[in-house]
Amino acid sequence: MYRPHGALAATLALGAAGCSGGASGGKHSANSKEGGGNPAAANEGAAIGGTPRKGGTLTVLSNQDFEHLDPARNWVMNTMDFGTRLLYRTLVTYRAEPGGKGNELVPDLATDLGTPSADARTWTFHLKQGLKYEDGSPVTAQDVKYNVERSFSPGLPGGADYAARYLAGADGYRGPAEGRHLDSVKTPDDRTIVFELRKPFAEFPWATVMPTFAPVPRKQDKGPSTTTGRSPPARTRSSPTRAARSSSWSATSTGMRGPTGSARLVVVMGLKANQIDDRLIASQGAGLRRLLGNPLWYRHVLAWHRDGPLAGHGDEIVRTIGAGYLATCATSSAYARWRERHPMSAQLTD
């Protein structure tokens, strides 16, 4: 998950609304200069990019590398999203749906969102039955406890600090390396984990979304390279990372992620923004690639944006979108309707 900043964020949001078309795509007249409502809200709650399909290969293009994949250190937004969706699971997570529904908590490893004591200082979670690692070994409550404990280790800095902030008796604790354990995290059996807090905390389930609350089996702990029983392939910035779905994957167990999913994953890092644009465009077919190289077409789509979807927002924002985004508009219904009234002309200027 990448989070653009400032004007670029506004540009991307406006652009996404503009290319989407739909019922409101043609509401601006040829001479309209009204900005209308908020175009960024046009696709609120909608899944963009077509209907999800089961299987196949998901390719992720990125202009940066991962910060940390170890769940005890992973607290950077894009890397954390990659880790908790594709490498490991936490007690609780966010619903995998667009829009406001994506802010809802749902159980992941746990059977529910946790059971608090009357004063909200003790929280109990039960793991689902049949949870397994890639090698087929069972996921246990002791594995979750171990990762929470190792997040205190001085050699694993940078991770979420909710465990250190809220667990009772955590002051001065430095991890399990010397055989010490947190008495405030109890595992009465393999599927039950109990957290005792230093003060009431009604929002504790939100804390368990963090990778700190993913399981790590002690025997698989390799320090900062640990990824909870999964070993991501070696990678460099010039070569893609490739991974396949775990043989222990279960659609029933991961129901909150939906029934579909890719069988293979390829991550290409270290790309420049224009390289990402070019690869996205190339994936949409030769016809679209030819259009991108047509200066007349490029000016035509710019004119459409000024007249309709981005009217009133200024040429600078239109130009900031770039050729990569504009190329994807070639097949949009909104542009097609506008093109009927405004055929390409050699007199068009940019």
Side-chain angles (χ1 to χ4, degrees):
M1 180 183 295
Y2 298 95
R3 181 168 294 175
H5 299 277
L8 178 58
T11 299
L12 293 175
L14 290 168
C19 248
S20 64
S24 60
K27 69 177 181 179
H28 295 280
S29 66
N31 298 316
S32 171
K33 295 298 179 185
E34 297 178 359
N38 177 12
N43 292 310
E44 175 67 22
I48 306 301
T51 303
R53 294 178 297 174
K54 185 176 181 179
T57 300
L58 172 66
T59 301
V60 179
L61 308 178
S62 174
N63 63 352
Q64 55 188 302
D65 200 346
F66 299 122
E67 294 289 333
H68 304 291
L69 289 178
D70 188 306
R73 305 184 69 187
N74 191 347
W75 203 11
V76 178
M77 183 60 71
N78 61 302
T79 307
M80 186 167 62
D81 195 49
F82 181 89
T84 56
R85 292 301 187 188
L86 298 171
L87 284 180
Y88 33 78
R89 297 170 61 182
T90 50
L91 290 174
V92 171
T93 190
Y94 290 104
R95 186 180 299 279
E97 292 190 29
K101 289 184 178 180
N103 295 323
E104 297 177 9
L105 285 189
V106 291
D108 193 358
L109 292 176
T111 58
D112 54 30
L113 300 182
T115 302
S117 60
D119 61 359
R121 293 185 61 169
T122 300
W123 282 84
T124 302
F125 295 84
H126 299 281
L127 302 188
K128 295 173 181 174
Q129 291 185 345
L131 296 172
K132 296 179 181 180
Y133 292 108
E134 185 177 34
D135 63 2
S137 60
V139 176
T140 69
Q142 290 81 6
D143 297 339
V144 178
K145 172 182 170 72
Y146 181 69
N147 189 42
V148 171
E149 292 180 334
R150 66 192 293 275
S151 71
F152 287 81
S153 301
L156 298 172
D161 63 353
Y162 296 105
R165 191 184 308 176
Y166 292 107
L167 288 177
D171 293 340
Y173 183 65
R174 294 173 62 84
E178 298 177 356
R180 290 188 58 204
H181 298 284
L182 281 172
D183 293 335
S184 55
V185 182
K186 295 179 168 55
T187 54
D189 58 58
D190 287 349
R191 292 183 48 231
T192 304
I193 186 165
V194 181
F195 299 96
E196 297 176 350
L197 311 183
R198 66 178 69 195
K199 59 183 178 181
F201 187 28
E203 291 79 24
F204 187 69
W206 273 264
T208 67
V209 171
M210 296 293 107
T212 309
F213 295 88
V216 169
R218 180 187 292 272
K219 65 180 181 180
Q220 293 288 347
D221 189 356
K222 300 178 179 65
S225 64
T226 296
T227 53
T228 70
R230 297 207 65 181
S231 299
R235 66 180 189 279
T236 66
R237 290 179 66 85
S238 59
S239 65
T241 296
R242 303 178 186 275
R245 177 186 290 165
S246 168
S247 58
S248 297
W249 180 85
S250 166
T252 302
S253 173
T254 59
M256 43 69 55
R257 289 174 173 82
T260 60
S262 300
R264 293 170 298 280
L265 173 71
V266 177
V267 182
V268 184
M269 294 165 289
L271 298 174
K272 295 180 179 179
N274 63 315
Q275 291 176 308
I276 294 175
D277 285 343
D278 289 345
R279 295 194 187 194
L280 290 174
I281 294 161
S283 72
Q284 298 185 38
L288 199 54
R289 291 197 295 274
R290 286 195 296 270
L291 283 174
L292 180 61
N294 185 335
L296 180 60
W297 171 85
Y298 178 72
R299 293 196 298 270
H300 195 244
V301 180
L302 275 177
W304 167 60
H305 274 79
R306 292 191 188 100
D307 182 52
L310 299 180
H313 293 285
D315 284 0
E316 188 60 34
I317 284 184
V318 174
R319 292 176 187 276
T320 304
I321 293 173
Y325 161 73
L326 292 176
T328 65
C329 293
T331 57
S332 73
S333 59
Y335 173 59
R337 290 193 297 269
W338 187 86
R339 187 176 58 203
E340 291 176 357
R341 304 192 305 273
H342 302 81
M344 286 190 187
S345 168
Q347 283 72 46
L348 280 170
T349 62
D350 59 358

